[in-house]
Amino acid sequence: MITFQANFFLLSCAFLLPTLVLGDCTCERDDAKRSESTQVLHYKLGSIASVLVAGALGVSLPLLSKRIPALNPKNDIFFMVKAFAAGVILATGFVHILPDAYESLTSPCLKENPWGKFPFTGFVAMISSIGTLMLDSFATGFFHRQHFNPSKQVPAADEEIADEHAGHIHVHTHATHGHAHGAALSSHDSETSEIIRQRIISQVLEIGIVVHSVIIGLSLGTAGSIDTIKPLLVALSFHQFFEGMGLGGCISQAKFESKSTAIMATFFSLTTPIGIAIGMGVSSAYKENSPTALSVEGVFNSASAGILIYMALVDLLAADFMNPRLQKNLKLQLGANISLLLGSGCMSLLAKWA
């Protein structure tokens, strides 16, 4: 009987002691988890400040072209800066966004029908590129009809026709000589047309960048590990800086009013931090591998990639690289090509971390 009680006591100790040890370890882990969650929160708050400053600095540099002669659009260096920024935007579409979209829309967490039976990533990117082309074309045509409609120009003898469409068109006629300054009008029309074009480019480009910026901010905001947040923080800061330079270059050429320029620059700077804040708010309920999250992120990323690839190739690179000023200057042409490769290369390298 004593032997049985002794054996029972030993067996009880054998089962209870590990339980007690595990209980102590669990308490320590809870403390460690609370400590880590506090550090994660601090890193996320720091990332909001870091990404905000990087984005604001990147978009502001080209806008300071009036004060920095090297960044003036009429300067040769501006071609190289713009080529670098266009390379960044192109790499963002091809290397960063499109693979993420493909990964989301081909995830095993999504139903085989329809996601596994059709290449939605390429299809959505193609549709968004075509949509961007149509929007670009219709918007340019609309503004041209508004500003250069001959029926709205009322001729007058021996006097100037002043401020047609808020100063966009100025015609000077003389009834006695039957003379018009056609060359000056043509030059001014061409300049106005280019400004309209740049305004459309900058606005459409910002739409594509903003959609992507919110999504990448959301991914950082919902991250739960410091090891995940650290590389994302550094990569996204550089990412926002380079993208900001590309967008800022387009805004500076569009010659918006100061108020409009400030709104566009501020809107770009705030989108990723807002995405991070939203991610922090929904991190407890957000499931990145849920079918809804995967499908929404994949479709939006695909659309964003299509917009950025179209804008980089057609509106930024093709327009500048076919410019007679660049074609006639071999050194400038080589410099622009090298800048393009550097911009796309640097942005592609960041894909290793984010």
Side-chain angles (χ1 to χ4, degrees):
M1 184 69 181
I2 297 174
T3 305
F4 173 77
Q5 290 176 345
N7 289 335
F8 180 79
F9 176 75
L10 290 173
L11 286 171
S12 300
C13 290
F15 281 106
L16 288 174
L17 282 175
T19 307
L20 294 173
V21 171
L22 287 173
D24 292 339
C25 291
T26 303
C27 292
E28 290 176 2
R29 284 174 186 170
D30 288 341
D31 292 339
K33 284 181 179 179
R34 280 194 290 269
S35 177
E36 185 179 358
S37 63
T38 303
Q39 290 181 350
V40 166
L41 178 61
H42 290 163
Y43 270 100
K44 287 181 180 180
L45 292 175
S47 67
I48 290 176
S50 176
V51 170
L52 177 63
V53 171
L57 184 62
V59 76
S60 298
L61 283 177
L63 299 178
L64 298 174
S65 57
K66 294 180 180 179
R67 298 183 180 181
I68 304 175
L71 294 177
N72 193 297
K74 296 180 180 179
N75 196 303
D76 288 346
I77 297 176
F78 186 78
F79 272 93
M80 291 186 279
V81 173
K82 196 175 175 186
F84 181 90
V88 168
I89 292 170
L90 188 63
T92 300
F94 273 121
V95 183
H96 286 256
I97 309 178
L98 208 56
D100 287 347
Y102 180 80
E103 184 180 356
S104 295
L105 295 181
T106 57
S107 172
C109 297
L110 291 176
K111 292 181 179 179
E112 180 67 18
N113 187 20
W115 302 105
K117 295 185 177 181
F118 188 80
F120 281 99
T121 305
F123 179 73
V124 174
M126 178 188 71
I127 293 298
S128 69
S129 295
I130 294 173
T132 305
L133 170 65
M134 291 179 175
L135 177 63
D136 206 353
S137 176
F138 281 118
T140 303
F142 173 77
F143 282 109
H144 271 279
R145 289 190 293 272
Q146 289 293 312
H147 289 276
F148 303 111
N149 191 346
S151 64
K152 294 184 180 181
Q153 299 177 19
V154 182
D158 295 323
E159 64 180 8
E160 288 188 17
I161 303 177
D163 282 345
E164 182 80 19
H165 296 293
H168 287 298
I169 301 174
H170 299 276
V171 183
H172 187 107
T173 58
H174 299 277
T176 54
H177 299 287
H179 173 72
H181 298 291
L185 176 62
S186 177
S187 175
H188 197 282
D189 285 358
S190 177
E191 183 181 351
T192 305
S193 178
E194 180 62 23
I195 291 173
I196 292 171
R197 178 84 180 136
Q198 290 297 332
R199 289 183 178 181
I200 294 169
I201 290 171
S202 59
Q203 288 169 344
V204 176
L205 182 62
E206 180 153 20
I207 291 171
I209 291 175
V210 160
V211 170
H212 171 57
S213 295
V214 172
I215 292 174
I216 60 175
L218 192 65
S219 66
L220 194 153
T222 55
S225 169
I226 295 176
D227 294 333
T228 304
I229 295 173
K230 281 182 179 179
L232 270 177
L233 169 59
V234 176
L236 290 186
S237 297
F238 281 104
H239 184 278
Q240 288 300 101
F241 177 78
F242 289 140
E243 269 194 350
M245 285 187 65
L247 180 62
C250 292
I251 295 174
S252 68
Q253 285 188 300
K255 297 181 180 178
F256 285 106
E257 294 180 358
S258 299
K259 183 180 179 180
S260 299
T261 300
I263 290 173
M264 290 185 72
T266 303
F267 191 56
F268 164 77
S269 302
L270 290 175
T271 47
T272 302
I274 288 173
I276 296 172
I278 293 172
M280 291 170 63
V282 301
S283 59
S284 58
Y286 179 80
K287 296 180 180 180
E288 60 179 10
N289 289 325
S290 68
T292 303
L294 288 169
S295 57
V296 170
E297 283 185 18
V299 169
F300 273 97
N301 271 333
S302 298
S304 180
I307 293 171
L308 294 185
I309 290 169
Y310 170 85
M311 298 300 294
L313 288 174
V314 178
D315 286 332
L316 300 179
L317 291 173
D320 283 349
F321 276 60
M322 296 299 141
N323 192 313
R325 181 177 165 188
L326 191 72
Q327 299 274 321
K328 294 175 183 178
N329 190 332
L330 181 59
K331 289 183 178 179
L332 181 58
Q333 196 171 22
L334 288 173
N337 279 276
I338 292 170
S339 295
L340 170 61
L341 292 174
L342 283 173
S344 57
C346 290
M347 199 63 185
S348 298
L349 186 62
L350 288 177
K352 184 179 179 181
W353 297 282

